[in-house]
Amino acid sequence: MKYNMIASLKRQVSKITFGCWELGGGAWEKESDEANLKVIEEALKLGINSFDTAEGYGNGHSEEVVGLALEKRRQDVVIASKVSPSHLRASDVRQSIENSLKRLRTEYLDIYYVHWPNADIPVHETMVEFRRLREEGLIRAVAVSNFSRAQLEEAEEVTKVDFIQNEYSLLHRSLEDEVIPYCIEHDIAIMTYSSIAKGILSGVYHLGDTPRKLADDDFRKTRRLFLPHHLEKETELVHAVKEVAEAHNVMPSEIAISWLLHQTGVTSAIVGTQNAEHLKQNVRAVDIELTEAQIHRLDEVSRRTLTAIDG
């Protein structure tokens, strides 16, 4: 594993963060808690020290699993959780973190995120309460997720923002124009989610004799990137990722993650899985050195694909 030093936490964070959304069930088909506890243990063995969850993942069940798994390793890990957009009033934030701390079996959170902004609740009110939580030691770092540059600026009028977590991959690059430059300028660590575009960049929906099909009740079926005509337009990019993967003798998902880790400003790629073998593949991405030609090739095909989708 490789790590980045984070000044606000005064510690290093692994370049792969274990994403714990799937562990809560809900939208995802869930393995048993016992199986997922073993996957978290494997993550620790592989050097991952960063774990990302939220009160909204399985109505708190993800936090319960993470808390049980990491209780005895608390000093060795960085735990992040998130408050839901419906709980951004100051009093609700306070109740949410108390509930999260109880489920996570800890007295503090290393990173606490606003999961999504809420247009009906002022960012100022929420950030004032986040500032208090940091002053009280209940959180070590103030963080936001799915924020635009304008929303980031508004939050920083109240308190220093230490982390942002936004969607970022070869199939989602909207934060590059404004958010990333702002974060670099203001020393805000960037965590990426949907790092392999919810599975698309692994190639399972395009490659092989029988590409995988989504079940009718899969929440991704109506998502933008999974619409049939968009999946078709993504074919060139998936094949480009595959070609680079073959050159490195690795899996396509590893190349998708490695590409992220080559991007300026990215601190850690969040990747969720309930499969220990997939986890091992994800971790190998930190050691892949893409050539300038390969980065250029992926960038070029990615931009062409996104133009086709958005056009």
Side-chain angles (χ1 to χ4, degrees), residues 166-171 191-199 201 253 256-257 259-260 268-271:
N166 277 17
E167 183 171 0
Y168 192 26
S169 74
L170 284 161
L171 282 169
M191 314 290 273
T192 70
Y193 75 85
S194 286
S195 301
I196 57 173
K198 294 184 172 61
L201 294 171
S253 59
I257 297 168
W259 178 85
L260 279 170
S268 184
I270 301 171
V271 187

Side-chain angles (χ1 to χ4, degrees), residues 5-77:
M5 186 66 190
I6 304 299
S8 60
L9 298 179
K10 298 179 181 179
R11 66 178 306 167
Q12 293 184 325
V13 171
S14 52
K15 288 191 175 185
I16 301 295
T17 289
F18 190 97
C20 301
W21 182 13
E22 297 179 33
L23 277 55
W28 297 95
E29 183 177 343
K30 192 178 83 64
E31 299 292 339
S32 68
D33 290 346
E34 291 75 16
N36 284 329
L37 288 171
K38 291 179 181 178
V39 175
I40 292 177
E41 181 61 32
E42 183 64 29
L44 291 167
K45 291 177 181 177
L46 291 168
I48 293 175
N49 73 347
S50 176
F51 296 83
D52 180 86
T53 184
E55 66 172 356
Y57 295 166
N59 293 318
H61 187 64
S62 172
E63 290 181 324
E64 291 172 346
V65 174
V66 172
L68 183 61
L70 301 180
E71 183 178 18
K72 295 180 180 179
R73 299 287 299 272
R74 184 65 187 94
Q75 299 306 311
D76 303 326
V77 296

Side-chain angles (χ1 to χ4, degrees), residues 49-229:
N49 73 347
S50 176
F51 296 83
D52 180 86
T53 184
E55 66 172 356
Y57 295 166
N59 293 318
H61 187 64
S62 172
E63 290 181 324
E64 291 172 346
V65 174
V66 172
L68 183 61
L70 301 180
E71 183 178 18
K72 295 180 180 179
R73 299 287 299 272
R74 184 65 187 94
Q75 299 306 311
D76 303 326
V77 296
V78 172
I79 298 178
S81 194
K82 310 178 193 73
V83 56
S84 299
S86 58
H87 295 161
L88 297 184
R89 292 291 182 192
S91 59
D92 293 332
V93 169
R94 179 71 54 164
Q95 185 63 60
S96 284
I97 193 167
E98 289 176 358
N99 293 340
S100 289
L101 291 174
K102 186 178 297 184
R103 288 189 290 263
L104 285 162
R105 304 183 184 209
T106 183
E107 295 180 351
Y108 68 96
L109 289 176
D110 297 283
I111 309 169
Y112 198 41
Y113 290 94
V114 175
H115 203 158
W116 289 86
N118 184 331
D120 296 324
I121 300 176
V123 171
H124 181 275
E125 177 180 347
T126 305
M127 287 296 105
V128 166
E129 188 62 20
F130 267 57
R131 184 176 64 197
R132 292 194 187 104
L133 295 177
R134 178 161 52 192
E135 291 169 351
E136 294 170 20
L138 292 178
I139 66 175
R140 300 287 171 83
V142 169
V144 297
S145 182
N146 302 298
F147 268 42
S148 66
R149 174 170 179 153
Q151 290 164 331
L152 258 178
E153 291 174 340
E154 188 175 357
E156 287 222 300
E157 289 176 1
V158 179
T159 189
K160 175 73 176 75
V161 174
D162 303 299
F163 285 82
I164 188 170
Q165 180 182 143
N166 277 17
E167 183 171 0
Y168 192 26
S169 74
L170 284 161
L171 282 169
H172 193 104
R173 304 177 64 172
S174 60
L175 77 167
E176 290 181 338
D177 292 338
E178 294 187 349
V179 172
I180 289 180
Y182 182 88
C183 290
I184 293 171
E185 181 182 354
H186 293 266
D187 194 27
I188 299 172
I190 300 170
M191 314 290 273
T192 70
Y193 75 85
S194 286
S195 301
I196 57 173
K198 294 184 172 61
I200 291 174
L201 294 171
S202 71
V204 296
Y205 300 102
H206 293 83
L207 305 174
D209 296 332
T210 55
R212 186 180 301 172
K213 303 292 184 183
L214 292 178
D216 289 340
D217 61 350
D218 194 306
F219 77 97
R220 292 170 291 183
K221 200 172 182 67
T222 58
R223 294 292 179 91
R224 166 177 165 269
L225 294 177
F226 283 87
L227 297 176
H229 55 292

Side-chain angles (χ1 to χ4, degrees), residues 244-265:
V244 176
E246 289 174 343
H248 287 270
N249 196 29
V250 299
M251 302 299 291
S253 59
E254 298 172 54
I255 296 301
I257 297 168
S258 177
W259 178 85
L260 279 170
L261 297 178
H262 279 75
Q263 303 309 301
T264 303

